């Protein structure tokens, strides 16, 4: 039996929190509380971005909209597209803040990714 969406998202967020915690384990102890909050926000944002990206791929960036039956419908950006753009900007800020907290010696460490960041960066080029 498939898990409900909310439960799958909770598990995905926990998994992403664990992944980010491992990546940013090198942050000094006195900045640990700041890192925890940033990791929680980044994990939530990334999972929601994945859901929104799937929605946008299926339904598109725009939709036909009309205020009433008397008005001619027009194309407008879907609310999900606006939310995606806002959440993406926030996610990138979280990751930058986390990267800035890493000790200088840890910045050269290569991190294996699952391809999502590359996908997001490619979408930003459009």
């Amino acid at each position: 039996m498939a898990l409900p969406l909310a439960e799958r998202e909770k598990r995905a967020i926990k998994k992403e929190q664990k992944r980010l915690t491992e990546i940013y384990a090198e942050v000094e102890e006195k900045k640990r509380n700041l890192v925890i909050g940033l990791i929680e926000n980044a994990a939530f944002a990334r999972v929601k971005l994945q859901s929104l990206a799937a929605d946008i791929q299926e339904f598109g960036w725009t939709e036909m909209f009309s205020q009433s039956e008397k008005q001619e419908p027009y194309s407008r950006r879907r609310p999900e597209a606006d939310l995606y753009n806002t959440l993406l900007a926030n996610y990138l800020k979280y990751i930058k803040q986390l990267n800035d907290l890493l000790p200088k010696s840890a910045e050269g460490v290569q991190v294996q990714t699952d391809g999502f960041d590359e996908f997001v960066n490619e979408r930003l080029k459009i």
Side-chain angles (χ1 to χ4, degrees), residues 10-126:
K10 284 181 187 177
R11 287 186 181 186
I13 290 168
K14 289 288 185 196
K15 183 177 177 182
E16 180 64 10
Q17 285 176 341
K18 182 179 180 200
R19 185 183 79 86
L20 291 173
T21 299
E22 290 172 6
I23 292 170
Y24 296 103
E26 298 292 322
V27 173
E28 60 188 83
E29 190 64 34
K30 65 182 179 181
K31 296 179 182 176
R32 196 42 93 191
N33 286 336
L34 176 61
V35 169
I36 292 169
L38 287 170
I39 285 173
E40 288 172 354
N41 289 334
F44 174 83
R46 182 165 181 190
V47 170
K48 289 298 182 180
L49 281 167
Q50 290 171 333
S51 296
L52 288 167
D55 180 270
I56 291 167
Q57 286 177 338
E58 184 174 347
F59 299 108
W61 289 89
T62 61
E63 64 186 356
M64 296 306 288
F65 179 77
S66 177
Q67 292 284 343
S68 69
E69 292 179 15
K70 297 176 186 177
Q71 187 182 31
E72 185 72 28
Y74 60 93
S75 180
R76 74 167 186 178
R77 188 171 42 232
R78 294 178 60 230
E80 291 82 356
D82 288 335
L83 181 57
Y84 179 87
N85 288 331
T86 301
L87 199 53
L88 177 58
N90 290 338
Y91 173 75
L92 294 172
K93 288 176 190 174
Y94 300 142
I95 296 301
K96 178 170 181 357
Q97 287 177 315
L98 285 165
N99 286 340
D100 290 346
L101 292 170
L102 282 174
K104 299 301 178 204
S105 62
E107 287 181 0
V109 175
Q110 287 290 344
V111 177
Q112 185 176 1
T113 68
D114 60 4
F116 181 73
D117 293 324
E118 290 81 8
F119 167 77
V120 168
N121 290 331
E122 193 63 33
R123 295 291 298 185
L124 289 175
K125 292 179 185 177
I126 295 176

Side-chain angles (χ1 to χ4, degrees), residues 3-10 51:
L3 292 172
L5 182 61
E7 189 61 36
R8 282 193 306 237
E9 283 187 347
K10 284 181 187 177
S51 296

